[in-house]
Amino acid sequence: MAAESVDADVVIVGSGAGGGTLARALARSGLRILILERGGYLPREWGNWDPQAVFGAHRYHTGEQWLDGEGRPFSPVTGYHVGGNTKFYGAAVLRRRPSDFRPRHHVDGSTPAWPFGYDELAPYYARAEEWYFAHGEAGRDPTEGPREAYPYPPLAHEEEIALVESVLQGMGLHPFPLPLALHFLEGDPEHSPCVRCPTCDGFPCLLHAKGDAEICGIQPALESPDVRLLTGQRVRKILLHADGQTVEGVETDSARYRARLVVLAAGAVNSAALLLASASEPFPEGLANRSGQVGRNYMCHLNSACMALKPHQENRAIFQKTLALNDFYEESGDPEYPYPLGHIQGLGKVTPSLLHAQRPRWPVPVSAWAASHSVDWWLTTEDLPDPDNRVTLDRSGRIHLNWHPKNRESHERLCRRWRSILHQAGFPAVFFQAMDISATAHQVGTCRFGEDPRTSVLDPSCRAHDLGNLYVVDASFMPSISAVNPSLTIMANALRVGGYIERQLGAS
Ligand SMILES: Cc1cc2nc3c(=O)[nH]c(=O)nc-3n(C[C@H](O)[C@H](O)[C@H](O)COP(=O)(O)OP(=O)(O)OC[C@H]3O[C@@H](n4cnc5c(N)ncnc54)[C@H](O)[C@@H]3O)c2cc1C
């Protein structure tokens, strides 16, 4: 398409981890970038830090309901704002392990190999860590790949967490500092934007001190005169060019935008939904869907929150999400169960008000006591791709999500193992709360990439096999999810894809 007849060289749909990072990556390329975001800026207000507003009333989540495989409505844990879901994320930014790029055998099946290995993504991980203020300590986690030092030192453990760390080490385990994307300046409290508050994990940051995609992607991108962001622009359809081989732009509720190249970054569920909603005669099953794979292979972590109580000792930690453990990441350690179990990391401190917001029926003194005596954790097991776990649309355009996670047994074993370790570590009471289908925070996989156009939607550069100028850079591209948090991989991949887009459009 001629450059002068378009609204932009590149239209990016969505401003989260993938879209926000890509916008910054392309900002100095000389290409004209237009970001279309369905939400607005997340308001800075006291509610950002109010557990009742965030977890009780779900003030910042979408009010829409999706339907599960049995047609039951549920409210997805997702929000539509500039910065996408990174506005709420716990800022845990782990690289995938080298083994995550290779097939891995699980109790319920195997993961597919990625088209490339850890080494290809490593330089992009490094740049994403720099952009997103990553704190961490290289060389502590035995499962990590080769890497240089983190841009920032790890956040120090508070007393209670340091104690847990030394007990775990005494048991022969290998806890390590959880890598975190926070604009925190150690030893410089006068100037540090991050104050290590208890309202981080799951909360928007009132101080704008979280390394999220608004602060670290969109904001720096908008410093370039070539980048524009339009909020309140929900893309409804991707427009196919008359040649049937390229797209010519997108349509929102109020306008059409033409571009030389379109990038989807609307999140794994919404990008798939958008492609399905963009069906036309040449693509009756959905745009870019000759493979029939669009919307399939939805994955989400098997997650449980865990509260470990020491009745006779208060936990005074304010910011406790500083420790992680991968001792059961590659395998369980039990010769009779030769499968991986998953990853364990600290959870943002469960405070009395937060617990009350989530468990309003508990008597206030009970939740207050439990929250002040607990150390809290987040356990993650890898899900597996299954074509029947998928996003579909009904006639009215509503999203249906069929999801029956794999590796449940491994997740239960991870919880049991962690409970017995915590018992030994002096926590006699340990409780778990498993997440259900509404916990869509770690959604991935609905437009997976690969070499074979029959089994994947995108090629290894994340360009649609079926269309020469349509890319996807959100979490959809992942053919396997791993057991670590997805954002850093989405950001690193967006940086990688930015290079392909620049080359394709002949950026200056
Ligand atoms: C409570 C919570 C905690 C989390 N903690 C962590 C963590 O600690 N570490 C980690 O790695 N990950 C974490 N995550 C997950 C992480 O936020 C996501 O993996 C990541 O944001 C996904 O990036 P994305 O680019 O795929 O989509 P998103 O970041 O969700 O961005 C998608 C964007 O597209 C916009 N959009 C959607 N549809 C349209 C449309 N039709 N038109 C225009 N715009 C559209 C959305 O509004 C949004 O801005 C957490 C998520 C949540 C909710």
Side-chain angles (χ1 to χ4, degrees):
M1 203 175 297
E4 57 279 7
S5 66
V6 295
D7 298 292
D9 293 311
V10 181
V11 158
I12 302 176
V13 181
S15 64
T21 309
L22 179 71
R24 180 170 172 184
L26 296 179
R28 304 279 160 200
S29 63
L31 298 170
R32 289 169 304 145
I33 314 298
L34 175 62
I35 309 156
L36 299 175
E37 166 56 53
R38 74 185 271 178
Y41 281 95
L42 195 143
R44 292 180 79 187
E45 55 188 12
W46 180 245
N48 292 180
W49 278 357
D50 176 2
Q52 175 54 32
V54 175
F55 288 100
H58 303 289
R59 180 171 172 78
Y60 304 108
H61 288 157
T62 171
E64 66 189 6
Q65 293 209 307
W66 299 348
L67 300 159
D68 72 9
E70 281 70 49
R72 291 172 300 216
F74 67 91
S75 303
V77 175
T78 197
Y80 301 132
H81 305 279
V82 175
N85 280 291
T86 64
K87 292 307 291 176
F88 312 106
Y89 81 159
V93 281
L94 291 107
R95 297 183 181 195
R96 286 170 75 96
R97 320 286 97 183
S99 58
D100 291 325
F101 293 83
R102 301 189 288 267
R104 179 186 279 121
H105 303 298
H106 282 275
V107 63
D108 284 344
S110 298
T111 57
W114 280 36
F116 51 76
Y118 170 82
D119 292 351
E120 169 132 353
L121 217 47
Y124 301 104
Y125 274 136
R127 199 179 328 153
E129 286 170 345
E130 203 183 298
W131 283 10
Y132 283 83
F133 312 118
H135 295 252
E137 186 177 347
R140 288 282 306 277
D141 171 11
T143 66
E144 83 182 358
R147 56 161 304 132
E148 59 297 307
Y150 277 85
Y152 298 89
L155 266 75
H157 302 309
E158 291 182 39
E159 199 180 322
E160 289 77 1
I161 305 304
L163 193 65
V164 177
E165 180 187 44
S166 67
V167 173
L168 295 176
Q169 282 168 335
M171 294 163 76
L173 297 167
H174 303 85
F176 62 94
L178 178 65
L180 288 166
L182 296 171
H183 198 182
F184 177 73
L185 302 177
E186 184 76 54
D188 192 3
E190 292 85 356
H191 301 106
S192 177
C194 169
V195 296
R196 292 187 60 132
C197 72
T199 44
C200 188
D201 200 358
F203 293 84
C205 180
L206 188 50
L207 302 178
H208 275 185
K210 200 186 277 193
D212 65 37
E214 179 195 348
I215 304 302
C216 301
I218 296 295
Q219 212 165 278
L222 290 175
E223 286 168 18
S224 161
D226 294 332
V227 180
R228 273 193 304 152
L229 165 70
L230 297 180
T231 56
Q233 291 290 317
R234 177 176 181 180
V235 174
R236 294 282 186 180
K237 198 172 176 193
I238 304 149
L239 303 169
L240 184 65
H241 192 273
D243 67 10
Q245 322 223 339
T246 54
V247 294
E248 62 178 17
V250 301
E251 187 174 276
T252 70
D253 288 324
S254 53
R256 283 185 162 206
Y257 299 95
R258 289 157 59 82
R260 292 167 67 200
L261 190 145
V262 172
V263 185
L264 289 189
V269 170
N270 276 299
S271 282
L274 206 40
L275 289 171
L276 295 173
S278 304
S280 62
E281 207 177 303
F283 289 98
E285 303 302 324
L287 193 64
N289 196 19
R290 296 214 166 101
S291 64
Q293 295 296 309
V294 169
R296 293 187 186 271
N297 304 301
Y298 171 86
M299 285 167 276
C300 201
H301 284 138
L302 289 85
N303 278 131
S304 292
C306 164
M307 287 180 78
L309 285 122
K310 255 190 204 173
H312 302 298
Q313 195 176 318
E314 265 189 59
N315 177 7
R316 293 178 195 278
I318 294 170
F319 189 92
Q320 68 169 11
K321 193 181 171 74
T322 52
L323 194 67
L325 205 87
N326 272 337
D327 287 81
F328 314 111
Y329 198 91
E330 307 287 3
E331 48 185 56
S332 70
D334 174 355
E336 303 204 343
Y337 194 82
Y339 304 111
L341 300 187
H343 165 77
I344 299 165
Q345 65 184 229
L347 185 64
K349 181 73 201 90
V350 174
T351 57
S353 45
L354 195 150
L355 193 55
H356 180 63
Q358 295 199 308
R359 293 277 177 279
R361 293 209 183 129
W362 286 18
V364 170
V366 173
S367 37
W369 181 85
S372 52
H373 288 78
S374 70
V375 175
D376 317 292
W377 304 92
W378 185 246
L379 284 78
T380 303
T381 298
E382 180 163 28
D383 190 11
L384 292 173
D386 175 346
D388 291 332
N389 283 341
R390 62 187 294 203
V391 177
T392 50
L393 298 180
D394 61 24
R395 284 202 186 146
S396 64
R398 278 184 88 178
I399 291 174
H400 290 239
L401 182 61
N402 185 52
W403 183 57
H404 298 283
K406 306 288 187 224
N407 299 331
R408 282 180 196 269
E409 186 181 348
S410 296
H411 191 63
E412 282 161 20
R413 283 176 181 256
L414 182 65
C415 294
R416 285 206 296 274
R417 180 70 68 86
W418 192 229
R419 173 179 276 130
S420 101
I421 289 169
L422 290 170
H423 283 335
Q424 287 177 58
F427 294 86
V430 180
F431 303 99
F432 293 94
Q433 167 76 58
M435 300 298 129
D436 63 14
I437 191 170
S438 65
T440 53
H442 291 185
Q443 52 181 277
V444 316
T446 52
C447 301
R448 65 182 181 181
F449 74 169
E451 305 279 359
D452 187 345
R454 290 166 306 178
T455 57
S456 53
V457 178
L458 310 172
D459 73 13
S461 73
C462 286
R463 183 168 69 175
H465 284 297
D466 297 342
L467 294 156
N469 62 346
L470 178 69
Y471 285 77
V472 183
V473 296
D474 55 34
S476 326
F477 80 96
M478 294 191 198
S480 67
I481 185 169
S482 83
V484 295
N485 314 54
S487 294
L488 191 72
T489 299
I490 301 167
M491 295 158 182
N493 182 60
L495 285 164
R496 185 185 72 91
V497 174
Y500 287 103
I501 292 174
E502 284 189 28
R503 284 193 286 282
Q504 178 168 344
L505 295 186
S508 57

